[in-house]
Amino acid sequence: MKLSDIERHDTDILILGTGGAGLFAALHAQQTAPEGTKITIAVKGLIGKCGCTRMVQGGYNVALGGGDTVERHFMDTIEGGKWLPDQDMAWRLCEQAVVRIRELENEVGCYFDRNPDGSLHQKAFAGQTADRTVHKGDLTGIEIINRLMEKVLASGVEKLQEHRAVGLIPTKDGSALAGVLMIDMRTGKFRLVRAKCVMMGTGGGPTMYKYHTPSGDKTMDGLAMALRAGLPLRDMEMVQFHPTGLLAGDHTRMTGTVLEEGLRGAGGQLISHAGQRFMFDYDGKGERATRDVVSRGIYAEMRKNNNPEQEGVFISMSHLGPDTVRARFPGMVKRCADSGFDLVADKVEVVPTAHYFMGGVVVDIDTRTAMEGLYVAGEDAGGAHGSNRLGGNGVANSTVYGGIAGDVMGRDVAGMSLREPDETVLEAEFARAIYPLTRTPDLVLPLRKKLQDLMWEEVGVIRTEAGMKRGLRGIAEVSDVLMDVGVDDSNLAFNLTWHDWLNLRSLCDVSKVIAQAGIMRENSRGAHYREDFPDDGGIENSEFTVARMVGETVEVTNEPVVFSVVKPGETILPEGEPETLVAAQ
Amino acid sequence: MTSETLNVTIDRGAAGLQDYAVPAYDNQTVLDVVSWVQQNADPTLSYRFACRVGMCGSCAMMVNGVPRWTCRTHISKVLDGNAVTIGPLRNLPVIKDLAVDMDPFFDKWVAAEGVHHGAMTRDDPIASLGDDHPEQSGADFGRECINCSICYAACDTVAGNPNYLGPAALQRAWNLLNDAKDEGRMAILEAVSGTGGCHNCHSMGSCTTYCPNELDPMSAIAGLKRETAKSFFKRGR
Amino acid sequence: MLTLRLYMLQRITALFMAPLVIGHLAVMIYAIQGGLSAAEILGRTQGSFAWFVFYGVFVLAVAIHGAIGMRTILHEWGGLRGPWIDLTMWLIGLGLFALGARAVWAVTFSGGSI
Amino acid sequence: MSAHGITSRAHPLWLAYILHRLSGLALALFLPLHFLLLGQALRGEAALDQSLAFSDMFLVKIAEFGLVFLLAVHMFGGLRLMAMEFLPWSPSQKTLAAGATATSFLIAVLFFMKAI
Ligand SMILES: Cc1cc2nc3c(=O)[nH]c(=O)nc-3n(C[C@H](O)[C@H](O)[C@H](O)COP(=O)(O)OP(=O)(O)OC[C@H]3O[C@@H](n4cnc5c(N)ncnc54)[C@H](O)[C@@H]3O)c2cc1C
Ligand code: HEM
Ligand code: SF4
Ligand code: F3S
Ligand code: FES
C-alpha cells in the first residue's frame, strides 16, 4: 500500500464517534450551521450501535426541582470529584443538563419513566444528595441512543460507518487541524477526510485493564491521537472502577461486564473467599458505600486470598428471597442466567472492573481545544468530573457537551475554510497504521492480555510508586514486542486482527500516560488511591495533572485547580439548606 | 476443563464452510467461540460485536440455522453434540464472513417513520404523562428494542419481499403511534400502508418467537393493521 | 407488495366467503350421501335465482381473493417483480372469474343444455 | 445451509402460516379444474354425470377429501388470522391456531366418513 492510495474526501463538519457526544453534535450542528453545510459522521462501528452511551443503565443526572437545584447538583459534582473538577465545566454541565433533558424528551422523543402524577421519576445514586437521576428502567442508554440514532439517520448527514480514525493531521505550522486519517474497515482502504471543524467524541474507554466494562470498540484511540498531535491531556491518572464486574474466566468477553449498582443498594451482600461479609470492615455504609470505597474493599480482600482458583469475591442476593430478586432485577437475572449463573439462588463471583475514564483532552467550556478546528466532547474531554465521576453524570456530560460542540462548530464553520494537511505527518500516521502489515504475522491477543494483567496489578485500584514504575517498564516491554508482531495482509477487508493491533497500540500509549500521571500524583483522591500516600494532599492546594508529548517523551506537570465558583470549605447552597434531601435507606 | 473440543463450522461466503476445532471452556458464549477462532486460529475471520452484554444489537448471527444474539447465547444452549454451525445473519447483504451490512434494516426503520415527530422544543416543560394518560400505555410497547435485526432475519416475508419494512421498523412505528407526544400519526399511517407496509405481514410470528428481548413485533404489526383498517373506512380509500 | 387497499379487499372477500364456504360444505356433505349425480345437483340449482346469487358472489369473491393471494405467493416465492406482479394478478383474477362464471351459469340458468 | 438460512421455524404460528399458504395455493390451483368440471353442465347432464362418475373412484374420493380438508383448513386459518389481527390480541392465539386446525380436520374427517 502506498501513500498515494489514500482516498481524499472533503466535508465541512466532521464528527468522530456516535455516542451521546457524537450524535448530539450532529443534531446541533445541523441546527446552527448555515444552510448547505456538509456534515459527516464517522464511526468505528455502526451509527448508534457502539460506544458506551448505549450501555448506560442507571440514568441521567439532572436537577429538576422538587427541592433539588442546579447549585446542589454542582456541589455534589465538586465534592464527588474531590475538588479537582474544572468548576466552570462542572457548572455548565449541571446547568445545561436541564435543557438537554427537555430536549431529549420534547425534540428527540425519549420517554423516561414517570411518577404516578405524570412528572419524571428521579432516584438517587450513591454520592448524591437529591433524587436526581432520570431513567428508563435500567436500560436508559438504549432509549437515549436509539432515539438520537433515528434522528441522525433520518437527517441525511453523510455516514462513514466502520471508519476508524487513526490520526489527526494538522496543518504544516501545526496550529490548526486539517483533517483526520481513517481506515475504511470494510475495505481496508485509507481515507483522509478534511474538514473545517472536527469534533472528537471517541469516548475514552479504559479497556487496558484485565476487567473492564466499556464496549469492545473503545480503546482510547482518541486520546492516543490527541497525544500524538501534541495536545495537553489532564487527570490521566483517574480511572473509575465499578465494584461489581462479572468474573467468568479468561475465555469469555462477559468477564468484567457490570452487575448493576442497584444490587448492592437493594441489600446485596459481598462475601469473601472465606465466606464472610467484609465491607463493614472498610466502611460504615457497608456494601452501600460509594464505588471507589467498595472497589478498594473488594480489591483489598482479594489480595488476602491466594487461591488461584477463586480470584474475586461473591455477591449474594438469595437472602432477599427468589421472588424479590426476580421481580426487582429481571434484566440482571436473565443476563446472568444466559451466561450460566444463577443470581437468584446462588452467589455470583465479582471483581472491580474499569468503567470510566475521567481524564481527557484539555478543553474550554465551549469544547474548543488548543488546536484550531478541533473540538472534543464526552468521555474524551477531561475536566468536568475531576477525580471521580458521579453515577449519572457521564451521559449528562456527553450529551450536554456534544450538543455544545455542535452549536459552536455550526457557528464557527462559517468563518473557517479547508486547510492543507502536513503531508509529512500524514505519511507518518499512514506508516504507523500499516506498520504491522510489514512484519511476520503473530498473535496479538497474548500481548493484550499481558498489558491488561499489568495494568490491573500495578496501575489499578490500589497503587504505589514502585508498582507503577514496574507497570511502566512492563508497558514499554509490551510496546516493544508489539512492534515485532505482524498482521497477515492478504485481505485487509474487515480485518479485525489488524484493528486489534491498532487498538493495543492506542492502549499501550495511553497506559503509559496513566502510569506516569499516577506516579506524579502523590496523594489519594477519588479514584486514584496511593497506598504510599493515602491522604488527600490538602484540598485547598488541589492540583491536577497535565500530560503532553514533547518530542518522543510524555511530560507530566501539575497545575493548580482554579476555584472559580466555590472554594473548599464553602458552599453555594443557600444557608440552612439540609445536607441531603435523600431519605436514609 | 479444556479437554473437550468443539467442532465449529463457519460459513465464510465465497470461501465456503470452514471447520475449526475450538477448545471448550466454562462460561463460553457463541461470540467467545467466534472470537477464539479469530484470535487464535484464523486472524482473517470477520465478525461484529460491541457491547458484549446484549445492549447494542450488533453481534447477531445464524447459529445452527437460528438467528441469535451471540454475546448472550451460552454455547451449551446451541451445541448439537459438540458441533455448532455459525453463519452471517440472514436477509442482509454480507460484507465479509459473519459481518453483514445493516443499512437496509435502518433505512427501513426511517422509511417506516420510525423517528419522533414533535412540535415541542427544549423551551417547553416536559409533558406530564402518567396514570391519567391511559392512551400512553402503548408507548412503551417494544421500546427496549436493540435493533439487532434478529426478527428481520427470522421473517420469511422479508426474505421473499425485499420491500417489506420488517418487524422491528413496524414495531417502532406502532410505538410512536401510541406515544401521546408524537404528532406524526398521518405520516406514520401513510408510511406503513405503502407497498412495503404492515399489510405484507402474514403473522407468522417468527419475529416474536426469536426476539432475544422477548418483544412482540407481531402484535405491534397487528395493531398497525387495525389502525390502518380503521382509517381505510374513515377516509373511504 | 400488499398495499392497504389490496389487503382490505383480500380480507373483505375472505369474510364474505366464510359463510358461503360453510354453506357450500354443508350442501356437499348432504349431497354426497348416497352418491352424487348430476340430476341431483342440477335439480337443486337449475333456475334458482338464489343459488345464482349464492355462487355468483362466491365466484366473484374467490376470483378477487385468490388473485391477490397468488400475487403475494408469486412475489415472495416466485421472485416475480415489477409490473409483472399486477399483470399476473389480473390474469389470474379474470381467468378464475371467467371459469367460475361459466360454471355458475351452467349449473343455474343454462337450462341443462344450450 | 444451516449456516446461512433459517432452518428451525417449527413454532405453532409459523406452521399455521405455512399451512394456510399451502392450502390457499392448492385451492387456487384446484379451483379452475373444479370450475371446468361444473362447466361440463353446459354440455348436458350426461356429460356431467360422466365426469361425476369418477368421483366414485377411491382416488377421486381421496382427492376430494383433500379439497374439502384444504378449504376447511384455509378458512379456519384465515378466520384465525383475521381474529388475531382485528380483535385485540391475546397470547392464547397459539391455542386458537391449533384449535382451528383441529376443528377443520374434524370436519374433513366427518365428510370423509360420510362419503364412504
Ligand atoms: C456499562 C456502562 C454503564 C454506564 N452507566 C452509566 C449511567 O448509568 N449513567 C451515566 O451517566 N453514565 C454511565 N456510563 C458512562 C457513559 O456511558 C459515558 O460516560 C458516556 O456515554 C460517554 O459518551 P461518549 O459519547 O463520550 O462516548 P461513547 O458513547 O462511548 O461513544 C464513543 C464512540 O466513538 C467511537 N470510536 C471509538 N474510537 C474510534 C475511532 N478510532 N474512530 C472512530 N470512532 C471511534 C465508538 O465506536 C463510539 O461510537 C456507563 C458506562 C458503561 C460502560
Ligand atoms: C372462507 C374462505 C376463506 C377465507 C376466510 C380466507 C382467508 C384468507 C386470508 C385471511 C388470507 C391472507 C393470508 C395472509 O395474508 O397471510 C388468505 C390468503 C389466501 N387465500 Fe384465502 N380464504 C378463503 C378462501 C380461499 C379460497 C377459496 C381460495 C382459493 C383460491 C383462497 C386462496 C388464497 C390464497 C392463494 C391466499 C394467499 C396465501 C398467502 O399469502 O399465504 N382462499 N385467505
Ligand atoms: S424487536 Fe427484538 S429481535 Fe427485533 S430488532 Fe428489536 S430487539 Fe431485535
Ligand atoms: S415474522 Fe414476519 S410475517 Fe409478520 S409476524 Fe413477524 S413480521
Ligand atoms: S455485542 Fe452488543 S448485543 Fe451482542
Side-chain angles (χ1 to χ4, degrees):
Chain A
M1 212 173 331
K2 304 181 304 294
L3 197 61
S4 57
D5 292 338
I6 300 176
E7 203 231 356
R8 310 238 170 177
H9 189 87
D10 288 345
T11 186
D12 294 317
I13 295 178
L14 171 67
I15 291 158
L16 301 180
T18 61
L23 292 175
F24 252 109
L27 288 183
H28 276 223
Q30 278 176 313
Q31 290 159 7
T32 54
E35 193 83 22
T37 303
K38 184 173 171 195
I39 299 173
T40 303
I41 192 155
V43 57
K44 205 173 175 181
L46 299 179
I47 289 181
K49 292 176 77 67
C50 47
C52 291
T53 309
R54 189 180 250 281
M55 298 168 74
V56 163
Q57 300 178 327
Y60 191 116
N61 283 353
V62 51
L64 290 175
D68 194 14
T69 56
V70 170
E71 283 79 6
R72 184 175 279 282
H73 184 185
F74 171 80
M75 285 310 296
D76 285 350
T77 302
I78 299 299
E79 300 267 6
K82 301 289 183 279
W83 294 86
L84 289 189
D86 178 301
Q87 297 196 351
D88 295 329
M89 281 184 77
W91 176 259
R92 197 151 194 213
L93 163 64
C94 301
E95 194 188 32
Q96 286 296 307
V98 181
V99 180
R100 205 62 86 235
I101 206 80
R102 284 200 303 260
E103 190 179 349
L104 279 166
E105 265 271 341
N106 296 348
E107 296 180 28
V108 179
C110 292
Y111 175 41
F112 298 111
D113 284 355
R114 294 298 206 272
N115 293 311
D117 72 355
S119 58
L120 286 182
H121 181 256
Q122 293 180 279
K123 57 185 183 178
F125 266 131
Q128 292 181 171
T129 63
D131 289 332
R132 180 178 295 144
T133 310
V134 172
H135 62 107
K136 179 83 196 163
D138 56 5
L139 298 172
T140 311
I142 293 177
E143 175 67 4
I144 291 176
I145 287 292
N146 274 356
R147 303 295 78 87
L148 281 171
M149 173 193 82
E150 295 163 1
K151 279 274 174 203
V152 168
L153 287 176
S155 73
V157 295
E158 184 183 41
K159 303 186 280 183
L160 295 177
Q161 299 192 91
E162 292 177 329
H163 272 60
R164 176 200 188 113
V166 289
L168 302 174
I169 314 298
T171 53
K172 208 155 209 136
D173 67 357
S175 66
L177 185 67
V180 180
L181 180 65
M182 303 188 195
I183 299 174
D184 175 348
M185 299 165 70
R186 294 181 181 178
T187 60
K189 297 212 168 75
F190 282 79
R191 189 158 286 145
L192 173 69
V193 181
R194 288 199 307 162
K196 298 169 186 168
C197 302
V198 176
M199 192 210 80
M200 188 167 86
T202 64
T207 54
M208 67 284 277
Y209 287 88
K210 184 172 178 185
Y211 309 110
H212 59 258
T213 67
S215 68
D217 48 302
K218 296 223 301 187
T219 52
M220 294 279 186
D221 296 341
L223 296 188
M225 290 191 298
L227 194 67
R228 289 202 302 282
L231 290 161
L233 309 178
R234 61 172 287 170
D235 300 324
M236 291 298 286
E237 69 280 21
M238 297 302 178
V239 182
Q240 180 172 68
F241 282 82
H242 193 291
T244 51
L246 184 67
L247 186 60
D250 278 357
H251 306 287
T252 175
R253 294 195 190 268
M254 287 174 318
T255 287
T257 57
V258 172
L259 290 187
E260 184 174 311
E261 195 112 64
L263 295 177
R264 285 182 292 121
Q269 298 181 345
L270 292 171
I271 313 281
S272 72
H273 59 282
Q276 306 284 315
R277 265 182 97 178
F278 57 87
M279 265 318 295
F280 284 99
D281 301 348
Y282 299 90
D283 194 283
K285 294 203 190 85
E287 283 88 351
R288 289 197 174 104
T290 51
R291 284 180 187 171
D292 50 337
V293 173
V294 180
S295 292
R296 280 197 291 279
I298 296 177
Y299 188 82
E301 208 59 31
M302 285 168 66
R303 280 204 304 203
K304 289 186 196 161
N305 166 29
N306 42 24
N307 171 5
E309 284 296 294
Q310 193 229 300
E311 219 174 324
V313 300
F314 294 99
I315 188 159
S316 167
M317 306 300 294
S318 54
H319 58 284
L320 298 175
D323 295 339
T324 315
V325 179
R326 241 179 250 119
R328 285 194 63 177
F329 304 102
M332 279 294 127
V333 169
K334 186 165 180 266
R335 192 191 288 179
C336 285
D338 285 351
S339 343
F341 299 100
D342 181 0
L343 184 65
V344 175
D346 206 358
K347 46 195 180 112
V348 175
E349 197 169 0
V350 293
V351 68
T353 175
H355 186 49
Y356 184 89
F357 198 63
M358 274 75 73
V361 179
V362 174
V363 290
D364 70 8
I365 59 166
D366 282 332
T367 73
R368 292 193 180 94
T369 66
M371 187 181 260
E372 187 185 303
L374 178 67
Y375 305 74
V376 177
E379 204 173 321
D380 272 347
H385 310 297
S387 70
N388 200 14
R389 173 188 66 93
L390 295 184
N393 267 4
V395 58
N397 177 62
S398 61
T399 53
V400 162
Y401 279 105
I404 290 172
D407 289 338
V408 174
M409 288 192 298
R411 279 186 242 112
D412 285 359
V413 72
M416 290 180 169
S417 47
L418 287 172
R419 310 174 188 92
E420 282 312 313
D422 183 338
E423 296 288 330
T424 29
V425 178
L426 179 63
E427 194 170 350
E429 289 291 344
F430 174 72
R432 183 179 183 279
I434 59 165
Y435 180 83
L437 309 177
T438 62
R439 306 266 119 184
T440 322
D442 202 350
L443 297 185
V444 179
L445 181 71
L447 279 180
R448 169 102 182 229
K449 292 226 144 132
K450 200 162 169 203
L451 177 72
Q452 289 180 330
D453 284 343
L454 207 70
M455 290 300 284
W456 168 250
E457 296 286 339
E458 311 288 15
V459 199
V461 180
I462 295 179
R463 303 165 173 182
T464 63
E465 178 168 352
M468 286 187 283
K469 287 197 162 148
R470 276 196 302 276
L472 271 180
R473 282 194 297 277
I475 296 164
E477 227 169 85
V478 172
S479 308
D480 282 351
V481 180
L482 182 64
M483 297 311 274
D484 280 330
V485 168
V487 170
D488 179 359
D489 69 344
S490 58
N491 186 352
L492 294 181
F494 227 112
N495 190 320
L496 293 185
T497 308
W498 183 20
H499 293 284
D500 283 348
W501 193 98
L502 292 167
N503 288 343
L504 186 51
R505 205 81 223 246
S506 296
L507 289 175
C508 283
D509 291 355
V510 177
S511 294
K512 188 173 149 201
V513 186
I514 295 176
Q516 279 181 283
I519 293 170
M520 190 70 178
R521 175 173 294 284
E522 298 191 324
N523 55 45
S524 295
R525 291 277 180 109
H528 175 76
Y529 186 82
R530 290 278 301 256
E531 213 165 18
D532 42 358
F533 296 97
D535 65 290
D536 64 16
I539 297 293
E540 315 72 44
N541 310 317
S542 292
E543 291 180 317
F544 63 93
T545 61
V546 177
R548 54 163 69 79
M549 191 117 126
V550 182
E552 286 296 294
T553 57
V554 175
E555 286 179 5
V556 185
T557 53
N558 281 321
E559 285 186 28
V561 175
V562 181
F563 301 117
S564 54
V565 180
V566 62
K567 292 191 172 44
E570 296 176 4
T571 176
I572 56 168
L573 294 182
E575 217 160 305
E577 274 280 299
E579 192 158 310
T580 177
L581 305 171
V582 182
Q585 284 245 357
Chain B
M1 214 167 98
T2 49
S3 56
E4 246 189 277
T5 310
L6 309 174
N7 295 330
V8 180
T9 306
I10 298 182
D11 179 358
R12 303 194 61 183
L17 295 179
Q18 289 186 10
D19 293 329
Y20 303 92
V22 178
Y25 298 104
D26 286 347
N27 312 323
Q28 200 175 18
T29 62
V30 175
L31 178 64
D32 293 327
V33 167
V34 171
S35 301
W36 188 94
V37 173
Q38 177 254 329
Q39 289 168 335
N40 298 283
D42 187 340
T44 65
L45 180 67
S46 307
Y47 56 100
R48 185 187 288 122
F49 80 100
C51 72
R52 75 205 200 274
V53 286
M55 291 180 102
C56 72
S58 51
C59 66
M61 300 169 201
M62 301 304 291
V63 183
N64 286 342
V66 171
R68 290 186 183 277
W69 53 2
T70 55
C71 68
R72 287 275 298 268
T73 303
H74 201 283
I75 191 74
S76 64
K77 192 170 166 180
V78 294
L79 280 181
D80 184 1
N82 65 347
V84 62
T85 305
I86 303 169
L89 202 59
R90 180 183 181 236
N91 292 343
L92 289 165
V94 176
I95 296 175
K96 183 169 170 277
D97 299 337
L98 301 171
V100 294
D101 180 359
M102 294 185 79
D103 277 356
F105 175 83
F106 286 103
D107 290 347
K108 288 176 178 180
W109 188 288
V110 173
E113 290 291 333
V115 57
H116 175 71
H117 317 74
M120 287 202 300
T121 73
R122 62 199 80 165
D123 300 326
D124 297 311
I126 287 173
S128 170
L129 293 169
D131 290 353
D132 52 340
H133 269 270
E135 75 271 19
Q136 187 75 352
S137 62
D140 263 337
F141 195 102
R143 260 194 196 252
E144 312 92 288
C145 173
I146 57 169
N147 19 77
C148 63
S149 217
I150 285 176
C151 52
Y152 190 82
C155 176
D156 289 349
T157 308
V158 174
N161 179 350
N163 287 320
Y164 179 43
L165 295 170
L170 290 169
Q171 175 171 258
R172 175 64 180 136
W174 172 244
N175 182 211
L176 282 163
L177 212 56
N178 285 289
D179 190 339
K181 292 193 302 181
D182 194 85
E183 293 168 14
R185 189 174 181 80
M186 276 324 192
I188 295 170
L189 289 179
E190 194 71 37
V192 302
S193 299
T195 49
C198 62
H199 306 104
N200 293 284
C201 162
H202 304 292
S203 303
M204 72 178 70
S206 294
C207 48
T208 298
T209 304
Y210 292 109
C211 172
N213 282 314
E214 291 163 14
L215 304 181
D216 186 5
M218 178 175 73
S219 299
I221 297 170
L224 288 177
K225 288 172 178 165
R226 279 197 299 282
E227 287 306 309
T228 49
K230 269 189 219 152
S231 81
F232 179 84
F233 289 121
K234 252 192 237 146
R235 288 189 286 170
R237 289 206 299 171
Chain C
M1 287 295 284
L2 272 200
T3 54
L4 174 59
R5 194 173 307 188
L6 287 177
Y7 168 89
M8 288 311 291
L9 261 179
Q10 197 182 32
R11 307 295 134 141
I12 290 168
T13 50
L15 282 176
F16 254 101
M17 278 190 295
L20 302 181
V21 165
I22 293 174
H24 184 65
L25 284 183
V27 169
M28 286 302 114
I29 288 170
Y30 172 75
I32 213 153
Q33 287 174 327
L36 227 47
S37 86
E40 266 173 21
I41 294 178
L42 294 177
R44 253 196 318 275
T45 56
Q46 283 297 341
S48 159
F49 186 70
W51 282 115
F52 175 75
V53 173
F54 183 96
Y55 283 113
V57 170
F58 202 157
V59 162
L60 185 64
V62 101
I64 297 174
H65 179 93
I68 299 175
M70 287 307 289
R71 175 188 196 271
T72 307
I73 295 183
L74 285 170
H75 176 58
E76 288 182 18
W77 284 1
L80 208 60
R81 301 285 186 263
W84 293 110
I85 302 178
D86 284 318
L87 196 70
T88 319
M89 174 182 73
W90 278 101
L91 278 179
I92 294 176
L94 290 174
L96 270 176
F97 183 74
L99 286 173
R102 180 166 164 269
V104 173
W105 184 254
V107 296
T108 52
F109 288 119
S110 71
S113 60
I114 296 176
Chain D
M1 279 311 282
S2 74
H4 204 140
I6 189 165
T7 53
S8 164
R9 278 164 295 202
H11 56 90
L13 285 174
W14 187 81
L15 291 173
Y17 146 81
I18 202 73
L19 207 62
H20 187 68
R21 166 156 294 190
L22 293 176
S23 58
L25 184 61
L27 282 174
L29 294 178
F30 159 73
L31 223 58
L33 294 177
H34 184 64
F35 286 155
L36 273 176
L37 181 76
L38 289 170
Q40 297 299 313
L42 284 172
R43 291 202 276 118
E45 283 184 27
L48 184 60
D49 258 336
Q50 221 173 38
S51 311
L52 286 179
F54 276 127
S55 61
D56 274 344
M57 285 164 59
F58 187 69
L59 262 179
V60 176
K61 280 246 164 73
I62 296 277
E64 260 173 21
F65 156 71
L67 271 167
V68 176
F69 173 71
L70 285 177
L71 199 54
V73 161
H74 188 81
M75 180 180 72
F76 280 104
L79 292 174
R80 165 202 70 96
L81 192 69
M82 288 188 281
M84 241 167 73
E85 286 173 358
F86 289 122
L87 308 175
W89 185 82
S90 80
S92 61
Q93 49 148 314
K94 288 187 192 184
T95 339
L96 214 76
T101 327
T103 318
S104 48
F105 195 72
L106 265 176
I107 292 180
V109 170
L110 187 78
F111 175 79
F112 193 50
M113 302 294 277
K114 287 210 160 175
I116 298 178

